[in-house]
Structures are given as structure tokens and as C-alpha cells.
Amino acid sequence: MKRILTLLAAIACTLWYTQAQITLFVCGDSTAATKDISKGSPERGWGHTLQPFFDPAEVVVDNHAKNGRSTKSFVSLGHWLVVEDRMKAGDYVFIEFGHNDTKVGDTVRFTTPEEYGRNLMHYIEIVRTKGATPVLMTQVCRRWWKEGVLADSHGDYLTECHRVARESGVLFIDAEKLTREWLTPLGDEGSRKYFMNLPAGKYPSHPDGKTDNTHFTIEGARIVSRMIAKEMVRIIPELAPHYREHHFVVAKDGSGDFFTVGEMINALPNFHKGAQEPIKVLIREGVYEEKVVIPSTKRNVHIEGEGKVVITWGDWAQKIGPAGTPLGTSGTSTLYNCGENITIENITIENSAGEVGQAVALQTVGTGTQVYKNCRLVGNQDTLYIYGVGNRDGQQVKENQHCYFENCYIEGTTDFIFGSGRADFVGCTIHSKRESYITAASTCKGQERGFVFLSCRLTASEGVERCYLGRPWRQWAQTLFINCHLGAHIRPEGWHNWNKPEAERTAIYGEWGCTGEGANTGERVKWVKKLMQKEVSAIISTTQVPEFK
């Protein structure tokens, strides 16, 4: 009975969530349409690039705009019926036509201005009868310059659109005015790159080049969709909480600026200043099979994943690289983050090589601060390498890296969290896939902190029953578990000295306030550090998101 009630509650929540979503239907022509990207064309409609400006969990863009359609052909070819069937109360229907209504002699598409106006009114009336809200839009401006002046290519159709909006009292976006005000100061030559004016030999989709002053390139569409999204928010206040804006968007469906994470990284400005206003990047849902390097010149960047975002690669230490030698552990990473003041959120970073020895998913490098929230680090041996400034074998360093992991999932087999930098893990799940060692710190001599696990949960795969909390890769290793839940797979002795008796005198390994079957410290190794309440309080108070400077 309890299971049935739980299922019914889940179904009810799902239905409520689905109904709570707002759908923005886009009805229009090629200037708004979602384009075919299969051959690498840079052409985009503004509706194609609109979704990244809204949280898809709350606002869904349903783009029905089609190439070559007019107010007449959008109905006669069956597109409007699809929209009519799908729309519901609370949705918004954006209507933008006019480019193809003007085509005299085309019996499928041509309408007189009067017929165009009547068609717009017909759309508006149907939307209202369905309980949805119609939004009328003027046509976006073409890039038609005549004697230094941006010419009007819509004439009476533009006038008619304004009349219908005024007399019907419909919500209204003057897209022609918005785009004209954008293009005018750019001038003839400055506006060229935002339209499909392509050189020969650059794009496989257009090997001979192209001259097109009606349709937008990726950059042009992104600018126009930003303008329109802001107008949507202005005239529809309920959209405001769900509006978001990013400097760059990565999307496999062509709705962003780039298809790959690597392209985005290359486009980031170097030595970006202003920690209070970081560069904001959105990576839309998808699996990105690529090896990614964030160099040290990239600073003050916030990278956020939308939905299930996976960055995956499959190098391993003994794999022979292009130079004819094994890659080694440091050469295997899927993602190298050498940047400073970098935040990565809601992203899975995976090394897909399998159990083939050392194979790093994420390697953090340098002396900067890095933050990871709600991320998944997936691999086997050596999943997470907090490299910092590297292993110093007893040498002191003036400065090392500080990484902060919040609500992350980290899995692996052997030494799957290792390295010299400082790393704070807060509210994370640390999952052992094999009976081995969880951590292998190589903290530098004199370093204030190594690894601190605060309020984390240590779990294990089925059949995994005997794991060490850690062992010292280098003599001055530091690893602490505070207020964590330790599963039954943690060995009674807790820690291993890696057959280095000398490390027992210098390593700082300790636990405080932990719970769970693996938290009994009665049989721990004798050289584990006895933590004091004052010391623990100081650690907890400083285990927080680092301030970017």
C-alpha cells in the first residue's frame, strides 16, 4: 500500500510539474526557423537560439517556424494545426510573418496586405479561444542598404502588422524596430558578418560561398534572440524569474555559439579581470566526447551544465601517445583545469578507459582557486588528481591550489582522490568500486591544509567490503574526515602507511564526529592524529567556498 501511495504521489508531482511549465510557441518563417546543421551550415533562425535564454525546466521553446512560410502557407501546409493542437492555457504563441507574404505570383504564399492582416487576426482569435496568449511580432529587418540608409523591405505589411496589434490589443514585440536600431549604427560593412554572407571555401555547406542579407549567422541569431528574449520578459513579467543570460553557450543542437567545449574554451578572453562579474558559460545537455584543457590564461569563468552534460574521454597511462611513448598518469586526463577562479557546476567529467590502470577524469593544476558544485567525477584508478603545483618530495611551497567540491559524486577504485593541492569536499558522495585505497595525498611540506572531507558520505559497490580511507603518496600527506558517514566497507584500521614508516611521523590523518559502520575508531592505526574540538571548529569554519580575488 505504501508503495502504491508513493507511486501515485510521484505521478501527481510529474503531472503538476508538466502543467506548471510554460511553453513559448514560435510561428514564423525562415528568419526564426530551426536550421539543418548536419552539413555545418552557420545559418540560424532567432527561434533556434532562443531556448538558452530560459530555464527549460520552467519555460520550453517549441519552435514551429519553417523556411519559406507565409501567414497563408503556414496554415495550408498544416503547420498551424500542430500548434493549435498542442497549445494550452498559460502558454504563449509568438507570431512573426511577412517576408514571404509579399511574394507576388506565388499562389501558395502570396497574400495582399489586407489578407495578411486578416490571417494575423485569425491566429490571434484561435490562440485566445484555447486559453493561451498570442504575441504579435513585426518582421525582423533585412540588411538592405540603399545610399547609406537601411531600407524598409516590408512596406504595407509592416504597417498592417502594427494596425492589427493596436486594434486587437494583443501583446506586441516590434522586432523590426529592435533589429533596425541594432543594425543602423553598424553600417553596411559592419553589419555584413551577422548575415549569411559567406566566403568561398570556408563552409562545407556552402563551398562556393553565399550572399544573403535576410538570414542570420550564428552570431547574428544569438544577438537577435537576446533582444527578443528581453522583450518577452519586459511584456510578460512571469517569464522574468526564468530568464538567464550567458556570454557563451555550447550546444550540440546548434542553439549556442559553439558545438564543442574546446571551441568555447579557445574563445574565452585571456586574463579576464573582474571576479565580481565572471564570464558565464552554459553547456547544454549532451555527451561531449573530447579532451579539454582550460589553460592558466583563462580566469574568472563560471561554467554551468544544463540537464545531463557529460564530458568524456578514454586515455590511460600505458597508452602510447603521438610521440611514441606512454602517456603517463598526468597525460590521461579528460579535463585539465589550469585556470584561476573557475567554477564548474552540474557537469559529469568521465574517463571512459575502464580498469586499465591510471586514468584521470579531472586534473586540477596551478595555484588558483577552483569550485565544483553538483558535479560527477567518474572513473576508476586515479579519477581526481588535485595536482596543484605538483609533488615536491618534502620541499616547501609558498602557494598551492585550493579546490572546493560541494555536493559532488566521486567514484573510483584505487587512490581515486590524490595529489598535492588543498581540496575541501563538502556534502559529497565518495564511492569505492573496488577494495583498495580512497585517497593518496601528496601534500607539500608546511602546507596548511591537504584534503578535508566535511559531512560527506562514503559508499561502496556491492561486494566491496575492505577499503582504506587513505595512504600517503608523499611523506607530509594530510587527509581529514569530519562529520562524515563512513560505510561498512571502511577497514577497522582505517589508514595505511604505503610501507613508508617515516610517513607515520609527518602525515596528518584524522577523523572527528563520523558515523556509520565504518566509523568505529577503536582499531585505527596508532599513528592517526588525535583531533581537538578547537582545531575541528577552526577547520569547519574555514571549509567553505573560497573567495575569488
Side-chain angles (χ1 to χ4, degrees):
M1 183 64 181
K2 184 178 180 181
R3 180 177 295 180
I4 294 173
L5 289 174
T6 302
L7 179 61
L8 290 174
I11 293 172
C13 287
T14 301
L15 290 173
W16 178 88
Y17 180 76
T18 301
Q19 291 171 354
Q21 283 185 324
I22 301 169
T23 300
L24 309 182
F25 291 95
V26 177
C27 303
D29 54 35
S30 57
T31 59
T34 297
K35 304 298 182 177
D36 179 5
I37 60 174
S38 61
K39 296 181 180 179
S41 173
E43 183 178 340
R44 299 290 187 276
W46 63 260
H48 193 163
T49 58
L50 183 62
Q51 181 66 77
F53 291 98
F54 296 97
D55 180 354
E58 305 293 340
V59 177
V60 175
V61 175
D62 193 355
N63 188 12
H64 291 262
K66 295 289 186 288
N67 289 0
R69 300 303 183 260
S70 67
T71 57
K72 179 181 178 181
S73 65
F74 195 77
V75 173
S76 64
L77 295 176
H79 309 305
W80 175 251
L81 184 60
V82 176
V83 178
E84 188 177 341
D85 287 343
R86 290 187 185 180
M87 73 176 77
K88 63 183 186 302
D91 291 339
Y92 294 87
V93 182
F94 294 83
I95 304 162
E96 185 218 24
F97 292 97
H99 287 94
N100 299 297
D101 286 79
T102 63
K103 295 188 175 180
V104 178
D106 188 328
T107 57
V108 175
R109 295 184 285 184
F110 174 70
T111 66
T112 65
E114 293 75 18
E115 290 171 331
Y116 168 75
R118 286 196 295 271
N119 290 342
L120 293 179
M121 280 300 305
H122 180 66
Y123 287 133
I124 291 168
E125 290 166 0
I126 291 177
V127 174
R128 284 172 169 167
T129 61
K130 300 284 285 189
T133 301
V135 183
L136 191 57
M137 300 176 59
T138 54
Q139 312 88 334
V140 293
C141 195
R142 285 188 173 101
R143 180 183 167 271
W144 283 12
W145 292 89
K146 295 182 178 180
E147 297 180 356
V149 177
L150 194 59
D152 171 21
S153 64
H154 299 112
D156 292 340
Y157 295 84
L158 180 60
T159 303
E160 187 67 11
C161 188
H162 277 274
R163 182 193 67 78
V164 171
R166 184 173 58 254
E167 294 182 4
S168 66
V170 72
L171 291 177
F172 182 60
I173 294 177
D174 195 345
E176 199 276 345
K177 181 174 183 287
L178 289 174
T179 49
R180 179 175 294 278
E181 290 176 348
W182 160 54
L183 293 171
T184 298
L186 294 173
D188 189 353
E189 194 58 36
S191 60
R192 179 179 299 276
K193 67 176 181 177
Y194 299 110
F195 291 80
M196 287 288 289
N197 296 294
L198 309 179
K202 184 174 181 179
Y203 296 96
S205 58
H206 299 87
D208 299 325
K210 187 175 184 178
T211 299
D212 180 348
N213 292 303
T214 297
H215 300 100
F216 303 115
T217 58
I218 295 172
E219 190 175 2
R222 284 270 291 149
I223 291 172
V224 173
S225 59
R226 180 181 287 107
M227 293 177 189
I228 291 174
K230 286 183 176 180
E231 278 296 288
M232 290 178 174
V233 170
R234 185 184 67 81
I235 66 174
I236 308 171
E238 71 168 317
L239 296 180
H242 314 304
Y243 177 79
R244 59 194 185 166
E245 197 165 336
H246 298 85
H247 296 92
F248 296 113
V249 174
V250 182
K252 299 183 76 67
D253 66 358
S255 62
D257 304 282
F258 309 103
F259 287 108
T260 70
V261 179
E263 290 175 307
M264 176 273 293
I265 298 297
N266 290 336
L268 291 173
N270 294 311
F271 299 103
H272 173 67
K273 299 184 183 299
Q276 300 305 314
E277 296 183 5
I279 297 170
K280 296 176 66 177
V281 175
L282 178 70
I283 302 180
R284 301 201 66 204
E285 186 162 359
V287 177
Y288 296 83
E289 298 183 41
E290 51 184 307
K291 195 176 180 81
V292 177
V293 178
I294 303 177
S296 60
T297 58
K298 308 302 181 181
R299 301 181 177 182
N300 301 319
V301 183
H302 187 137
I303 302 173
E304 177 185 4
E306 174 190 282
K308 186 177 181 180
V309 175
V310 181
I311 302 173
T312 182
W313 198 253
D315 282 342
W316 67 97
Q318 294 307 310
K319 179 180 178 180
I320 302 302
T325 57
L327 292 175
T329 302
S330 295
T332 65
S333 304
T334 297
L335 172 61
Y336 295 88
N337 189 352
C338 312
E340 186 173 326
N341 298 354
I342 307 292
T343 297
I344 296 179
E345 191 169 354
N346 302 328
I347 292 176
T348 294
I349 304 166
E350 175 189 54
N351 189 306
S352 61
E355 293 198 43
V356 291
Q358 298 95 330
V360 179
L362 170 63
Q363 182 169 338
T364 68
V365 183
T367 59
T369 52
Q370 298 178 9
V371 173
Y372 302 85
K373 294 184 177 181
N374 304 315
C375 289
R376 291 174 57 85
L377 306 182
V378 177
N380 291 284
Q381 184 172 344
D382 292 1
T383 303
L384 171 59
Y385 193 175
I386 308 294
Y387 186 88
V389 295
N391 305 302
R392 298 295 170 170
D393 290 319
Q395 299 178 36
Q396 290 189 342
V397 299
K398 292 182 179 180
E399 185 180 11
N400 209 340
Q401 190 174 60
H402 181 189
C403 294
Y404 177 88
F405 297 84
E406 182 179 288
N407 195 33
C408 293
Y409 170 87
I410 306 167
E411 69 168 37
T413 56
T414 299
D415 302 334
F416 60 94
I417 300 174
F418 72 113
S420 77
R422 170 183 172 179
D424 298 328
F425 301 86
V426 178
C428 296
T429 296
I430 312 300
H431 186 75
S432 294
K433 297 167 65 176
R434 200 170 70 189
E435 294 181 347
S436 191
Y437 308 87
I438 296 173
T439 67
S442 56
T443 317
C444 298
K445 181 180 179 181
Q447 191 170 314
E448 182 182 0
R449 295 267 283 275
F451 299 162
V452 172
F453 296 84
L454 177 62
S455 301
C456 292
R457 187 173 186 85
L458 275 61
T459 62
S461 298
E462 186 176 354
V464 174
E465 299 177 349
R466 294 177 66 81
C467 292
Y468 288 99
L469 292 169
R471 58 178 179 171
W473 184 16
R474 293 294 186 270
Q475 189 170 338
W476 301 89
Q478 294 186 39
T479 304
L480 305 175
F481 288 87
I482 299 173
N483 296 337
C484 293
H485 184 277
L486 310 183
H489 62 295
I490 301 302
R491 298 174 66 115
E493 60 268 43
W495 308 87
H496 192 279
N497 68 2
W498 207 330
N499 300 320
K500 303 172 184 176
E502 67 278 8
E504 295 180 8
R505 298 189 300 271
T506 55
I508 300 177
Y509 283 168
E511 304 159 59
W512 177 275
C514 295
T515 60
E517 295 179 70
N520 189 342
T521 59
E523 297 181 43
R524 291 293 195 255
V525 294
K526 302 302 182 185
W527 46 276
V528 71
K529 178 178 175 58
K530 305 296 183 182
L531 297 173
M532 306 300 291
Q533 177 67 64
K534 183 177 181 181
E535 186 178 10
V536 170
S537 297
I539 291 171
I540 292 175
S541 67
T542 56
T543 303
Q544 55 191 346
V545 178
E547 292 186 5
F548 292 164
K549 299 178 180 179

Coordinates of all heavy atoms in Angstrom, one line a residue, residues 113-154:
P113 N -1.7 42.8 -48.4 CA -1.6 43.3 -47.0 C -2.9 43.1 -46.3 O -2.9 42.8 -45.1 CB -1.3 44.8 -47.2 CG -0.6 44.8 -48.5 CD -1.2 43.8 -49.4
E114 N -4.0 43.3 -46.9 CA -5.3 43.1 -46.2 C -5.5 41.6 -45.8 O -6.0 41.3 -44.7 CB -6.5 43.5 -47.1 CG -6.5 45.0 -47.4 CD -5.4 45.5 -48.4 OE1 -4.9 44.6 -49.2 OE2 -5.1 46.7 -48.5
E115 N -5.2 40.7 -46.7 CA -5.3 39.3 -46.4 C -4.3 38.9 -45.3 O -4.6 38.1 -44.4 CB -5.0 38.4 -47.7 CG -6.1 38.5 -48.7 CD -5.7 37.9 -50.0 OE1 -4.5 37.8 -50.3 OE2 -6.6 37.4 -50.7
Y116 N -3.1 39.5 -45.3 CA -2.1 39.3 -44.3 C -2.7 39.7 -42.9 O -2.6 38.9 -42.0 CB -0.9 40.1 -44.7 CG 0.2 40.2 -43.6 CD1 1.0 39.2 -43.3 CD2 0.3 41.4 -42.9 CE1 2.0 39.3 -42.3 CE2 1.3 41.6 -42.0 CZ 2.1 40.5 -41.6 OH 3.1 40.7 -40.7
G117 N -3.3 40.8 -42.9 CA -3.9 41.3 -41.6 C -5.0 40.4 -41.1 O -5.1 40.1 -39.9
R118 N -5.9 39.9 -42.1 CA -7.0 39.0 -41.6 C -6.4 37.7 -41.1 O -6.9 37.1 -40.1 CB -7.9 38.8 -42.8 CG -8.8 40.0 -43.2 CD -9.9 39.5 -44.0 NE -9.5 39.1 -45.4 CZ -9.3 39.9 -46.4 NH1 -9.6 41.2 -46.3 NH2 -9.0 39.4 -47.6
N119 N -5.3 37.2 -41.7 CA -4.7 36.0 -41.3 C -4.1 36.1 -39.9 O -4.3 35.2 -39.0 CB -3.6 35.6 -42.3 CG -4.1 35.1 -43.6 OD1 -5.3 34.8 -43.7 ND2 -3.3 35.1 -44.6
L120 N -3.5 37.3 -39.6 CA -3.0 37.5 -38.3 C -4.1 37.5 -37.2 O -3.9 36.9 -36.1 CB -2.2 38.8 -38.2 CG -0.9 38.9 -39.0 CD1 -0.3 40.3 -38.9 CD2 0.1 37.9 -38.6
M121 N -5.2 38.2 -37.6 CA -6.4 38.2 -36.7 C -6.9 36.8 -36.4 O -7.3 36.4 -35.3 CB -7.5 39.1 -37.2 CG -7.3 40.6 -37.0 SD -7.1 41.0 -35.2 CE -8.6 40.4 -34.6
H122 N -6.9 36.0 -37.5 CA -7.4 34.6 -37.3 C -6.5 33.8 -36.3 O -7.0 33.1 -35.5 CB -7.4 33.9 -38.7 CG -7.9 32.5 -38.7 ND1 -9.1 32.2 -38.4 CD2 -7.2 31.3 -38.9 CE1 -9.3 30.8 -38.4 NE2 -8.1 30.3 -38.7
Y123 N -5.2 34.0 -36.4 CA -4.3 33.3 -35.5 C -4.6 33.8 -34.1 O -4.7 33.0 -33.1 CB -2.8 33.7 -35.8 CG -2.2 33.0 -37.0 CD1 -1.5 33.8 -38.0 CD2 -2.4 31.7 -37.3 CE1 -1.0 33.2 -39.1 CE2 -1.8 31.1 -38.4 CZ -1.1 31.9 -39.3 OH -0.6 31.3 -40.4
I124 N -4.7 35.1 -33.9 CA -4.9 35.7 -32.6 C -6.2 35.1 -31.9 O -6.2 34.7 -30.8 CB -5.0 37.2 -32.7 CG1 -3.6 37.7 -33.0 CG2 -5.5 37.8 -31.4 CD1 -3.6 39.2 -33.4
E125 N -7.3 35.1 -32.7 CA -8.6 34.6 -32.2 C -8.5 33.1 -31.8 O -9.0 32.8 -30.7 CB -9.7 34.8 -33.3 CG -10.0 36.3 -33.5 CD -10.8 36.5 -34.8 OE1 -11.1 35.4 -35.4 OE2 -11.1 37.6 -35.1
I126 N -7.9 32.3 -32.5 CA -7.8 30.9 -32.2 C -6.9 30.7 -30.9 O -7.3 29.9 -30.0 CB -7.1 30.1 -33.4 CG1 -8.1 30.0 -34.5 CG2 -6.8 28.7 -32.9 CD1 -7.6 29.3 -35.8
V127 N -5.8 31.4 -30.8 CA -5.0 31.3 -29.6 C -5.8 31.7 -28.4 O -5.8 31.0 -27.3 CB -3.7 32.2 -29.7 CG1 -3.0 32.2 -28.4 CG2 -2.8 31.7 -30.9
R128 N -6.6 32.7 -28.5 CA -7.4 33.2 -27.3 C -8.4 32.2 -27.0 O -8.7 31.9 -25.8 CB -8.0 34.5 -27.6 CG -6.9 35.7 -27.5 CD -7.5 37.0 -28.0 NE -6.6 38.1 -27.6 CZ -6.7 39.3 -28.1 NH1 -7.7 39.6 -29.0 NH2 -5.8 40.3 -27.8
T129 N -9.0 31.5 -27.9 CA -10.1 30.5 -27.6 C -9.5 29.3 -26.9 O -10.2 28.6 -26.2 CB -10.8 30.1 -28.9 OG1 -9.9 29.4 -29.8 CG2 -11.5 31.2 -29.6
K130 N -8.2 29.0 -27.1 CA -7.5 27.9 -26.5 C -7.1 28.3 -25.1 O -6.5 27.4 -24.4 CB -6.4 27.5 -27.3 CG -6.7 27.0 -28.7 CD -7.4 25.6 -28.7 CE -6.4 24.5 -28.5 NZ -6.9 23.2 -28.7
G131 N -7.2 29.5 -24.6 CA -6.8 29.9 -23.3 C -5.3 30.3 -23.3 O -4.8 30.7 -22.2
A132 N -4.7 30.3 -24.4 CA -3.3 30.7 -24.5 C -3.2 32.2 -24.8 O -4.2 32.9 -25.0 CB -2.5 29.9 -25.5
T133 N -2.0 32.8 -24.8 CA -1.8 34.2 -25.0 C -1.1 34.5 -26.3 O 0.1 34.0 -26.5 CB -1.1 34.9 -23.9 OG1 -1.8 34.7 -22.6 CG2 -0.9 36.4 -24.1
P134 N -1.7 35.2 -27.3 CA -1.0 35.5 -28.5 C 0.0 36.7 -28.3 O -0.3 37.6 -27.6 CB -2.1 35.8 -29.5 CG -3.2 36.3 -28.6 CD -3.1 35.6 -27.3
V135 N 1.1 36.6 -29.0 CA 2.0 37.7 -29.1 C 2.4 38.0 -30.5 O 2.9 37.1 -31.2 CB 3.3 37.4 -28.3 CG1 4.2 38.7 -28.3 CG2 3.0 37.0 -26.8
L136 N 2.0 39.2 -31.0 CA 2.3 39.5 -32.4 C 3.6 40.2 -32.5 O 4.0 41.0 -31.7 CB 1.2 40.4 -32.9 CG 1.1 40.7 -34.4 CD1 1.0 39.4 -35.2 CD2 0.0 41.6 -34.8
M137 N 4.3 39.9 -33.6 CA 5.7 40.4 -33.8 C 5.8 41.0 -35.3 O 5.3 40.3 -36.2 CB 6.8 39.4 -33.6 CG 6.8 38.8 -32.2 SD 8.0 37.4 -32.1 CE 9.5 38.3 -32.5
T138 N 6.4 42.1 -35.4 CA 6.8 42.6 -36.8 C 7.9 41.7 -37.3 O 8.6 41.0 -36.5 CB 7.1 44.0 -36.7 OG1 8.2 44.2 -35.8 CG2 6.0 44.9 -36.4
Q139 N 8.2 41.8 -38.6 CA 9.2 41.1 -39.2 C 10.6 41.7 -38.8 O 10.7 42.9 -38.7 CB 9.1 41.2 -40.7 CG 7.7 40.9 -41.3 CD 6.8 42.1 -41.3 OE1 7.0 43.1 -40.6 NE2 5.8 42.1 -42.2
V140 N 11.6 40.8 -38.7 CA 12.9 41.3 -38.4 C 13.4 42.0 -39.7 O 13.0 41.7 -40.8 CB 13.9 40.2 -38.0 CG1 13.5 39.6 -36.7 CG2 14.0 39.1 -39.1
C141 N 14.3 42.9 -39.5 CA 14.8 43.8 -40.5 C 15.8 43.0 -41.4 O 16.7 42.3 -41.0 CB 15.5 45.0 -39.9 SG 15.8 46.4 -41.1
R142 N 15.7 43.2 -42.7 CA 16.7 42.7 -43.7 C 17.8 43.7 -43.7 O 17.7 44.9 -43.4 CB 16.1 42.6 -45.1 CG 15.2 41.4 -45.3 CD 14.8 41.3 -46.8 NE 14.0 40.2 -47.1 CZ 12.7 40.1 -47.3 NH1 12.0 41.2 -47.2 NH2 12.1 39.0 -47.6
R143 N 19.0 43.2 -44.2 CA 20.2 44.1 -44.3 C 20.2 44.6 -45.8 O 20.9 44.1 -46.6 CB 21.4 43.2 -44.0 CG 22.7 44.1 -44.2 CD 24.0 43.2 -43.9 NE 25.1 43.9 -44.4 CZ 25.6 43.9 -45.6 NH1 25.0 43.1 -46.5 NH2 26.7 44.6 -45.9
W144 N 19.3 45.6 -46.0 CA 19.2 46.2 -47.3 C 19.6 47.6 -47.2 O 18.8 48.5 -46.7 CB 17.8 46.1 -47.8 CG 17.4 44.7 -48.4 CD1 18.1 43.6 -48.2 CD2 16.3 44.4 -49.1 NE1 17.5 42.5 -48.8 CE2 16.3 43.0 -49.4 CE3 15.1 45.1 -49.6 CZ2 15.4 42.3 -50.1 CZ3 14.2 44.4 -50.3 CH2 14.3 43.0 -50.5
W145 N 20.8 47.9 -47.6 CA 21.3 49.3 -47.5 C 21.2 50.0 -48.9 O 21.6 49.4 -49.9 CB 22.8 49.3 -47.1 CG 22.9 48.9 -45.6 CD1 23.1 47.6 -45.2 CD2 22.9 49.7 -44.5 NE1 23.2 47.6 -43.8 CE2 23.1 48.9 -43.4 CE3 22.8 51.1 -44.3 CZ2 23.1 49.4 -42.1 CZ3 22.8 51.6 -43.0 CH2 23.0 50.7 -41.9
K146 N 20.6 51.2 -48.9 CA 20.5 52.0 -50.1 C 21.0 53.4 -49.8 O 20.4 54.1 -49.0 CB 19.0 52.0 -50.6 CG 18.5 50.6 -51.0 CD 17.1 50.7 -51.6 CE 16.6 49.3 -52.0 NZ 15.2 49.3 -52.5
E147 N 22.1 53.7 -50.5 CA 22.7 55.0 -50.3 C 22.9 55.3 -48.9 O 22.7 56.4 -48.4 CB 21.8 56.1 -51.0 CG 21.6 55.9 -52.5 CD 20.8 57.0 -53.1 OE1 20.2 57.8 -52.3 OE2 20.6 57.0 -54.3
G148 N 23.4 54.3 -48.1 CA 23.8 54.5 -46.7 C 22.7 54.5 -45.8 O 22.9 54.7 -44.6
V149 N 21.5 54.2 -46.2 CA 20.3 54.1 -45.4 C 19.8 52.7 -45.4 O 19.6 52.0 -46.4 CB 19.2 55.1 -45.8 CG1 18.0 54.9 -45.0 CG2 19.7 56.5 -45.8
L150 N 19.4 52.2 -44.2 CA 18.8 50.8 -44.1 C 17.4 50.9 -44.6 O 16.5 51.5 -44.0 CB 18.9 50.3 -42.6 CG 18.6 48.9 -42.4 CD1 19.6 48.0 -43.1 CD2 18.7 48.6 -40.9
A151 N 17.1 50.2 -45.7 CA 15.8 50.4 -46.4 C 14.8 49.5 -45.7 O 15.0 48.5 -45.1 CB 16.0 50.0 -47.9
D152 N 13.5 49.9 -45.9 CA 12.3 49.2 -45.4 C 11.9 48.2 -46.6 O 11.6 48.6 -47.7 CB 11.2 50.1 -45.1 CG 9.9 49.4 -44.8 OD1 10.0 48.2 -44.5 OD2 8.8 50.0 -44.9
S153 N 11.9 46.9 -46.3 CA 11.6 45.9 -47.3 C 10.2 45.3 -47.1 O 9.8 44.4 -47.8 CB 12.6 44.8 -47.3 OG 12.6 44.1 -46.1
H154 N 9.4 45.9 -46.1 CA 8.2 45.2 -45.7 C 7.0 46.1 -46.0 O 5.8 45.7 -46.1 CB 8.2 44.8 -44.3 CG 9.2 43.8 -43.9 ND1 10.3 44.1 -43.1 CD2 9.4 42.6 -44.4 CE1 11.1 43.0 -43.1 NE2 10.6 42.1 -43.8

